Amino acid sequence: MSGNIVYIGIGSNLGNAIDNVTGAISSLGRLADTLLEKASSLYRTAPIDADGDDYVNAVVKISTTLTPESLLKALWQIEKTFGRQRPYRNAPRTLDLDMLLYNADCISTAHLTIPHPRMTERAFVLVPLAEIAPDIVIPKQEPLPILLERVKNQEIHRI
């Protein structure tokens, strides 16, 4: 399938986080008009600006003909299926799906900002992203090796 290349960050720290993340990867692979291209390893990280247990994180690359808005609605539906609730900002969660990149587009709407505004500050995004797309160029950002150097003090462990 030729389509839009999208990278999605996945995280969970409630319930069985490993099952939630692997289940989300499977769900993304079953989305209509979408092909799961690559999935990173799973990583364990401590919460940043949040409470709760450690997170399990991953990043996937998909190819899709869905628009950014349609894909966002599909991601919200997957989160809901996994019991996602939003009681307060940065609350622990059964599943968090963040659209990180959509092609090389820069998008800013009421519900969606692409590239994801904090992705370059988080090892739990950059390390798995570098695993599956080591040569990726993030729009309006420095090269990936420089971004990785900036987050090297954030603990992250491959599971």
Side-chain angles (χ1 to χ4, degrees):
M1 166 195 298
S2 66
N4 301 292
I5 300 301
V6 183
Y7 291 88
I8 298 169
I10 306 169
S12 174
N13 77 331
L14 282 180
N16 187 325
I18 290 175
D19 285 352
N20 292 343
V21 171
T22 57
I25 293 168
S26 295
S27 294
L28 290 166
R30 291 191 302 272
L31 280 178
D33 305 313
T34 300
L35 177 65
L36 178 65
E37 300 265 349
K38 288 184 184 176
S40 75
S41 301
L42 303 185
Y43 292 85
R44 185 171 305 281
T45 60
I48 296 178
D49 300 330
D51 299 326
D53 295 335
D54 284 353
Y55 275 84
V56 173
N57 297 100
V59 171
V60 298
K61 174 186 178 184
I62 62 171
S63 175
T64 185
T65 57
L66 296 174
T67 65
E69 296 78 15
S70 295
L71 180 57
L72 183 62
K73 288 178 183 171
L75 297 181
W76 287 345
Q77 185 57 50
I78 293 170
E79 288 179 343
K80 185 177 176 185
T81 300
F82 280 80
R84 170 77 188 261
Q85 297 180 6
R86 299 171 191 267
Y88 55 90
R89 180 172 160 70
N90 293 333
R93 55 205 70 162
T94 53
L95 186 63
D96 187 28
L97 298 174
D98 288 327
M99 199 179 321
L100 305 171
L101 298 166
Y102 188 96
N103 298 318
D105 298 355
C106 293
I107 302 168
S108 183
T109 69
H111 299 291
L112 185 61
T113 303
I114 302 290
H116 189 282
R118 291 171 304 286
M119 69 178 284
T120 60
E121 303 166 10
R122 308 291 198 228
F124 65 78
V125 172
L126 294 176
V127 171
L129 179 63
E131 177 189 334
I132 63 171
D135 299 322
I136 195 159
V137 174
I138 300 170
K140 300 182 180 180
Q141 293 294 328
E142 292 173 293
L144 188 56
I146 292 172
L147 298 172
L148 285 165
E149 179 66 21
R150 287 195 188 134
V151 299
K152 70 180 181 185
N153 294 328
Q154 295 177 23
E155 265 193 69
I156 182 166
H157 305 281
R158 188 182 303 210
I159 297 175

